[in-house]
Amino acid sequence: GLIKAASGGAWATISNTTLSGAESLVEFDTSGAYKVFAIHMSGVRGASENQTKILMKRTTYDTSGYFQVARWEGTASGTTYSGNSTTSGSHILTGNTFPSSADIALSGSIYIYNPSNTDAYTYINGWASGEDNTNFYASHFSGRNNDAGAVTAVKYLFTSGDIAAGNFVFAGLT
């Protein structure tokens, strides 16, 4: 269904994908007429201890030229990380190393702003969190591509290994 948004817009569900076996990535088509896209994820587990990332596609998937302006992470023990300001990154890192325990499943949201604009950068921001038996993990991130041009797709994946399980709801804001 639709979730009513302020200013007369509405979120439209584009897809709802549930993974129950090993998949290398989840891909989302951003070539539609929406100004903002959202990826809402829950129960995401990795096959191994890993980091999560986003790649953007113009003609092909960019593996360089991302600018990550900020990332904050923490655990229940107070460990934090901030910074990661780079002008030539290979991806937008959405989480530092999350354990691959059956006890931890990531949940969060990723927002992609105005990807069809050919005269401006495409911006992404979001958050992810999860918990195992001893720690709570949280990550907040933002970034953009370094080259203007329409972004036609994004993919969510781990830096290595597969996604073992998870639910991904992809929506667009009219």
Side-chain angles (χ1 to χ4, degrees), residues 61-134:
Y61 275 102
D62 297 327
T63 56
S64 65
Y66 292 99
F67 183 72
Q68 184 146 334
V69 293
R71 191 175 86 236
W72 172 91
E73 297 179 348
T75 67
S77 62
T79 305
T80 61
Y81 175 82
S82 62
N84 197 33
S85 181
T86 178
T87 57
S88 60
S90 62
H91 53 269
I92 296 174
L93 195 62
T94 59
N96 206 0
T97 304
F98 289 107
S100 62
S101 167
D103 298 327
I104 189 168
L106 301 178
S107 295
S109 295
I110 300 166
Y111 295 91
I112 305 141
Y113 298 94
N114 210 13
S116 63
N117 189 339
T118 59
D119 298 324
Y121 303 121
T122 297
Y123 291 89
I124 290 181
N125 68 34
W127 61 273
S129 61
E131 188 169 2
D132 64 16
N133 290 329
T134 58

